[in-house]
Amino acid sequence: SKDKILINLDKSYNIFDKCYEVVKKTNTLKQVVIKGRKTLNQVQQEFGEYLDKVCFMPIITISNTEKNDMVESYLQNDQPPLAIEFIVPENSNLTLDKYFQEIQKRGTNVWVNALWASLCDGYDDEKAALDISIYDWYIKNNVNIIQTDRPKILLEYLRSKGLHH
């Protein structure tokens, strides 16, 4: 994985000291993403010594398109996150394109996880395996980072639309 991918240390917030030693030894610090459902204040207090060494990405459940206070605090920080992972509850039927586009204009990527329907308004990898146009939801809503268990079909689809090279 060295110099090839982002390394998502999912659910490692509480054991990050140990993980940090491993990524230091493997010289992959610049590739590490640690995520959490924490406010900016909590992250700075609990994780502050690492914030200039690895990328912290907040996970935020979105329930409407109004600006979320937690999102805004991260975007206004001196070092806004590389990305914010948004959880879009199933059957929420939210139109997020302008909201996500505004976040990207401010320098932060929008990450949505396609693994389970409960994370992406029901537009998940399993449905995409049966109907590839399911991934249009991500394109329509300006999601620019998609976590998937089906990278081959997603990449082929994005390339067919001229959205990945």
Side-chain angles (χ1 to χ4, degrees):
S1 65
K2 179 145 172 49
D3 298 326
K4 294 179 185 173
I5 62 170
L6 281 178
I7 301 165
N8 178 10
L9 297 179
D10 198 18
K11 298 181 177 131
S12 65
Y13 194 94
N14 294 332
I15 58 164
F16 189 75
D17 291 343
K18 294 173 184 170
C19 296
Y20 181 77
E21 292 307 315
V22 173
V23 295
K24 219 165 87 175
K25 284 181 190 174
T26 58
N27 199 22
T28 54
L29 279 172
K30 298 287 184 210
Q31 295 171 246
V32 169
V33 175
I34 184 165
K35 302 187 297 183
R37 295 175 185 256
K38 306 274 186 173
T39 66
L40 178 60
N41 252 0
Q42 288 173 304
V43 172
Q44 288 171 331
Q45 289 174 4
E46 299 169 0
F47 198 67
E49 67 184 280
Y50 298 113
L51 290 177
D52 63 339
K53 298 176 177 91
V54 297
C55 175
F56 177 81
M57 186 174 72
I59 301 171
I60 297 173
T61 300
I62 190 163
S63 58
N64 60 51
T65 56
E66 293 176 20
K67 288 191 177 177
N68 177 304
D69 290 342
M70 197 162 151
V71 171
E72 202 54 34
S73 71
Y74 277 103
L75 294 176
Q76 290 179 2
N77 188 34
D78 290 338
Q79 292 183 298
L82 171 68
I84 297 173
E85 179 176 340
F86 286 95
I87 295 174
V88 185
E90 193 168 5
N91 299 316
S92 63
N93 299 313
L94 295 171
T95 303
L96 299 165
D97 59 329
K98 290 180 179 148
Y99 183 59
F100 286 168
Q101 187 175 47
E102 181 60 33
I103 289 167
Q104 290 173 38
K105 282 181 185 175
R106 294 172 71 184
T108 296
N109 294 291
V110 172
W111 174 312
V112 175
N113 187 325
L115 304 181
W116 304 292
S118 62
L119 302 174
C120 54
D121 200 11
Y123 296 90
D124 62 290
D125 284 332
E126 292 307 307
K127 287 183 184 129
L130 301 172
D131 176 6
I132 195 72
S133 70
I134 288 293
Y135 289 131
D136 284 341
W137 180 86
Y138 298 86
I139 297 165
K140 181 183 86 176
N141 283 296
N142 291 309
V143 174
N144 63 337
I145 299 176
I146 305 168
Q147 183 173 345
T148 180
D149 276 342
R150 306 221 183 235
K152 184 178 182 201
I153 66 169
L154 176 58
L155 285 171
E156 286 173 3
Y157 189 67
L158 292 174
R159 287 177 181 135
S160 78
K161 299 264 187 192
L163 297 171
H164 194 279
H165 48 276

PDB file of all heavy atoms in Angstrom, residues 116-134:
ATOM      1  N   TRP A 116     -23.012   0.055   2.811  1.00  0.00           N
ATOM      2  CA  TRP A 116     -24.308  -0.369   3.338  1.00  0.00           C
ATOM      3  C   TRP A 116     -25.346   0.698   3.034  1.00  0.00           C
ATOM      4  O   TRP A 116     -25.076   1.895   3.126  1.00  0.00           O
ATOM      5  CB  TRP A 116     -24.248  -0.609   4.847  1.00  0.00           C
ATOM      6  CG  TRP A 116     -23.200  -1.597   5.229  1.00  0.00           C
ATOM      7  CD1 TRP A 116     -23.194  -2.938   4.949  1.00  0.00           C
ATOM      8  CD2 TRP A 116     -21.993  -1.313   5.926  1.00  0.00           C
ATOM      9  NE1 TRP A 116     -22.041  -3.506   5.441  1.00  0.00           N
ATOM     10  CE2 TRP A 116     -21.276  -2.531   6.047  1.00  0.00           C
ATOM     11  CE3 TRP A 116     -21.431  -0.163   6.463  1.00  0.00           C
ATOM     12  CZ2 TRP A 116     -20.059  -2.626   6.675  1.00  0.00           C
ATOM     13  CZ3 TRP A 116     -20.210  -0.251   7.091  1.00  0.00           C
ATOM     14  CH2 TRP A 116     -19.541  -1.477   7.202  1.00  0.00           C
ATOM     15  N   ALA A 117     -26.558   0.263   2.769  1.00  0.00           N
ATOM     16  CA  ALA A 117     -27.653   1.171   2.425  1.00  0.00           C
ATOM     17  C   ALA A 117     -27.894   2.235   3.493  1.00  0.00           C
ATOM     18  O   ALA A 117     -28.250   3.366   3.180  1.00  0.00           O
ATOM     19  CB  ALA A 117     -28.930   0.369   2.177  1.00  0.00           C
ATOM     20  N   SER A 118     -27.671   1.900   4.744  1.00  0.00           N
ATOM     21  CA  SER A 118     -27.928   2.830   5.847  1.00  0.00           C
ATOM     22  C   SER A 118     -26.950   4.001   5.884  1.00  0.00           C
ATOM     23  O   SER A 118     -27.156   4.964   6.623  1.00  0.00           O
ATOM     24  CB  SER A 118     -27.869   2.090   7.183  1.00  0.00           C
ATOM     25  OG  SER A 118     -26.576   1.548   7.379  1.00  0.00           O
ATOM     26  N   LEU A 119     -25.902   3.945   5.082  1.00  0.00           N
ATOM     27  CA  LEU A 119     -24.888   5.007   5.075  1.00  0.00           C
ATOM     28  C   LEU A 119     -25.028   5.966   3.895  1.00  0.00           C
ATOM     29  O   LEU A 119     -24.399   7.019   3.886  1.00  0.00           O
ATOM     30  CB  LEU A 119     -23.488   4.388   5.054  1.00  0.00           C
ATOM     31  CG  LEU A 119     -23.155   3.445   6.200  1.00  0.00           C
ATOM     32  CD1 LEU A 119     -21.795   2.804   5.975  1.00  0.00           C
ATOM     33  CD2 LEU A 119     -23.198   4.184   7.523  1.00  0.00           C
ATOM     34  N   CYS A 120     -25.822   5.568   2.879  1.00  0.00           N
ATOM     35  CA  CYS A 120     -25.809   6.310   1.617  1.00  0.00           C
ATOM     36  C   CYS A 120     -27.200   6.428   1.000  1.00  0.00           C
ATOM     37  O   CYS A 120     -27.364   6.273  -0.212  1.00  0.00           O
ATOM     38  CB  CYS A 120     -24.849   5.642   0.641  1.00  0.00           C
ATOM     39  SG  CYS A 120     -25.197   3.883   0.404  1.00  0.00           S
ATOM     40  N   ASP A 121     -28.189   6.683   1.827  1.00  0.00           N
ATOM     41  CA  ASP A 121     -29.562   6.869   1.370  1.00  0.00           C
ATOM     42  C   ASP A 121     -30.071   5.686   0.537  1.00  0.00           C
ATOM     43  O   ASP A 121     -30.934   5.836  -0.315  1.00  0.00           O
ATOM     44  CB  ASP A 121     -29.688   8.171   0.576  1.00  0.00           C
ATOM     45  CG  ASP A 121     -31.127   8.672   0.476  1.00  0.00           C
ATOM     46  OD1 ASP A 121     -32.005   8.142   1.185  1.00  0.00           O
ATOM     47  OD2 ASP A 121     -31.366   9.596  -0.320  1.00  0.00           O
ATOM     48  N   GLY A 122     -29.488   4.500   0.779  1.00  0.00           N
ATOM     49  CA  GLY A 122     -29.945   3.297   0.087  1.00  0.00           C
ATOM     50  C   GLY A 122     -29.241   3.017  -1.228  1.00  0.00           C
ATOM     51  O   GLY A 122     -29.529   2.019  -1.884  1.00  0.00           O
ATOM     52  N   TYR A 123     -28.288   3.857  -1.630  1.00  0.00           N
ATOM     53  CA  TYR A 123     -27.587   3.694  -2.912  1.00  0.00           C
ATOM     54  C   TYR A 123     -26.262   2.960  -2.676  1.00  0.00           C
ATOM     55  O   TYR A 123     -25.188   3.513  -2.861  1.00  0.00           O
ATOM     56  CB  TYR A 123     -27.360   5.056  -3.565  1.00  0.00           C
ATOM     57  CG  TYR A 123     -28.659   5.727  -3.931  1.00  0.00           C
ATOM     58  CD1 TYR A 123     -29.305   6.563  -3.029  1.00  0.00           C
ATOM     59  CD2 TYR A 123     -29.252   5.492  -5.163  1.00  0.00           C
ATOM     60  CE1 TYR A 123     -30.514   7.169  -3.353  1.00  0.00           C
ATOM     61  CE2 TYR A 123     -30.459   6.094  -5.504  1.00  0.00           C
ATOM     62  CZ  TYR A 123     -31.083   6.930  -4.588  1.00  0.00           C
ATOM     63  OH  TYR A 123     -32.282   7.516  -4.914  1.00  0.00           O
ATOM     64  N   ASP A 124     -26.368   1.691  -2.311  1.00  0.00           N
ATOM     65  CA  ASP A 124     -25.192   0.942  -1.862  1.00  0.00           C
ATOM     66  C   ASP A 124     -24.626   0.026  -2.945  1.00  0.00           C
ATOM     67  O   ASP A 124     -25.221  -0.173  -4.002  1.00  0.00           O
ATOM     68  CB  ASP A 124     -25.551   0.137  -0.611  1.00  0.00           C
ATOM     69  CG  ASP A 124     -26.633  -0.885  -0.883  1.00  0.00           C
ATOM     70  OD1 ASP A 124     -27.793  -0.482  -1.100  1.00  0.00           O
ATOM     71  OD2 ASP A 124     -26.324  -2.083  -0.875  1.00  0.00           O
ATOM     72  N   ASP A 125     -23.463  -0.539  -2.640  1.00  0.00           N
ATOM     73  CA  ASP A 125     -22.748  -1.420  -3.559  1.00  0.00           C
ATOM     74  C   ASP A 125     -23.558  -2.632  -3.992  1.00  0.00           C
ATOM     75  O   ASP A 125     -23.449  -3.075  -5.138  1.00  0.00           O
ATOM     76  CB  ASP A 125     -21.444  -1.918  -2.908  1.00  0.00           C
ATOM     77  CG  ASP A 125     -20.351  -0.877  -2.887  1.00  0.00           C
ATOM     78  OD1 ASP A 125     -20.343   0.000  -3.765  1.00  0.00           O
ATOM     79  OD2 ASP A 125     -19.493  -0.955  -1.990  1.00  0.00           O
ATOM     80  N   GLU A 126     -24.335  -3.201  -3.096  1.00  0.00           N
ATOM     81  CA  GLU A 126     -25.116  -4.400  -3.446  1.00  0.00           C
ATOM     82  C   GLU A 126     -26.134  -4.082  -4.538  1.00  0.00           C
ATOM     83  O   GLU A 126     -26.302  -4.850  -5.474  1.00  0.00           O
ATOM     84  CB  GLU A 126     -25.800  -4.987  -2.211  1.00  0.00           C
ATOM     85  CG  GLU A 126     -24.823  -5.583  -1.210  1.00  0.00           C
ATOM     86  CD  GLU A 126     -23.858  -6.598  -1.823  1.00  0.00           C
ATOM     87  OE1 GLU A 126     -24.302  -7.556  -2.484  1.00  0.00           O
ATOM     88  OE2 GLU A 126     -22.636  -6.417  -1.654  1.00  0.00           O
ATOM     89  N   LYS A 127     -26.797  -2.941  -4.418  1.00  0.00           N
ATOM     90  CA  LYS A 127     -27.746  -2.534  -5.458  1.00  0.00           C
ATOM     91  C   LYS A 127     -27.018  -2.189  -6.746  1.00  0.00           C
ATOM     92  O   LYS A 127     -27.503  -2.483  -7.839  1.00  0.00           O
ATOM     93  CB  LYS A 127     -28.576  -1.349  -4.976  1.00  0.00           C
ATOM     94  CG  LYS A 127     -29.601  -1.737  -3.934  1.00  0.00           C
ATOM     95  CD  LYS A 127     -30.452  -0.560  -3.531  1.00  0.00           C
ATOM     96  CE  LYS A 127     -31.381  -0.979  -2.416  1.00  0.00           C
ATOM     97  NZ  LYS A 127     -31.343  -0.097  -1.296  1.00  0.00           N
ATOM     98  N   ALA A 128     -25.841  -1.582  -6.626  1.00  0.00           N
ATOM     99  CA  ALA A 128     -25.060  -1.218  -7.815  1.00  0.00           C
ATOM    100  C   ALA A 128     -24.572  -2.449  -8.576  1.00  0.00           C
ATOM    101  O   ALA A 128     -24.414  -2.401  -9.794  1.00  0.00           O
ATOM    102  CB  ALA A 128     -23.879  -0.334  -7.417  1.00  0.00           C
ATOM    103  N   ALA A 129     -24.349  -3.541  -7.864  1.00  0.00           N
ATOM    104  CA  ALA A 129     -23.929  -4.771  -8.537  1.00  0.00           C
ATOM    105  C   ALA A 129     -25.030  -5.284  -9.462  1.00  0.00           C
ATOM    106  O   ALA A 129     -24.749  -5.946 -10.467  1.00  0.00           O
ATOM    107  CB  ALA A 129     -23.569  -5.835  -7.506  1.00  0.00           C
ATOM    108  N   LEU A 130     -26.267  -4.941  -9.147  1.00  0.00           N
ATOM    109  CA  LEU A 130     -27.405  -5.348  -9.978  1.00  0.00           C
ATOM    110  C   LEU A 130     -27.806  -4.274 -10.989  1.00  0.00           C
ATOM    111  O   LEU A 130     -28.328  -4.572 -12.056  1.00  0.00           O
ATOM    112  CB  LEU A 130     -28.612  -5.676  -9.086  1.00  0.00           C
ATOM    113  CG  LEU A 130     -28.385  -6.790  -8.065  1.00  0.00           C
ATOM    114  CD1 LEU A 130     -29.573  -6.899  -7.115  1.00  0.00           C
ATOM    115  CD2 LEU A 130     -28.123  -8.113  -8.770  1.00  0.00           C
ATOM    116  N   ASP A 131     -27.549  -3.019 -10.622  1.00  0.00           N
ATOM    117  CA  ASP A 131     -27.900  -1.889 -11.481  1.00  0.00           C
ATOM    118  C   ASP A 131     -26.832  -0.807 -11.285  1.00  0.00           C
ATOM    119  O   ASP A 131     -26.906  -0.023 -10.339  1.00  0.00           O
ATOM    120  CB  ASP A 131     -29.285  -1.360 -11.126  1.00  0.00           C
ATOM    121  CG  ASP A 131     -29.676  -0.120 -11.912  1.00  0.00           C
ATOM    122  OD1 ASP A 131     -28.926   0.290 -12.843  1.00  0.00           O
ATOM    123  OD2 ASP A 131     -30.725   0.470 -11.595  1.00  0.00           O
ATOM    124  N   ILE A 132     -25.874  -0.779 -12.175  1.00  0.00           N
ATOM    125  CA  ILE A 132     -24.713   0.117 -12.043  1.00  0.00           C
ATOM    126  C   ILE A 132     -25.111   1.598 -11.963  1.00  0.00           C
ATOM    127  O   ILE A 132     -24.393   2.407 -11.391  1.00  0.00           O
ATOM    128  CB  ILE A 132     -23.705  -0.144 -13.186  1.00  0.00           C
ATOM    129  CG1 ILE A 132     -22.345   0.481 -12.871  1.00  0.00           C
ATOM    130  CG2 ILE A 132     -24.234   0.366 -14.506  1.00  0.00           C
ATOM    131  CD1 ILE A 132     -21.606  -0.223 -11.801  1.00  0.00           C
ATOM    132  N   SER A 133     -26.286   1.945 -12.511  1.00  0.00           N
ATOM    133  CA  SER A 133     -26.693   3.350 -12.478  1.00  0.00           C
ATOM    134  C   SER A 133     -26.990   3.844 -11.061  1.00  0.00           C
ATOM    135  O   SER A 133     -27.174   5.048 -10.851  1.00  0.00           O
ATOM    136  CB  SER A 133     -27.906   3.584 -13.386  1.00  0.00           C
ATOM    137  OG  SER A 133     -29.060   2.971 -12.842  1.00  0.00           O
ATOM    138  N   ILE A 134     -26.999   2.948 -10.085  1.00  0.00           N
ATOM    139  CA  ILE A 134     -27.133   3.343  -8.675  1.00  0.00           C
ATOM    140  C   ILE A 134     -26.059   4.374  -8.321  1.00  0.00           C
ATOM    141  O   ILE A 134     -26.293   5.307  -7.555  1.00  0.00           O
ATOM    142  CB  ILE A 134     -27.028   2.103  -7.747  1.00  0.00           C
ATOM    143  CG1 ILE A 134     -28.286   1.258  -7.866  1.00  0.00           C
ATOM    144  CG2 ILE A 134     -26.726   2.472  -6.310  1.00  0.00           C
ATOM    145  CD1 ILE A 134     -29.559   1.898  -7.342  1.00  0.00           C
TER     146      ILE A 134
END
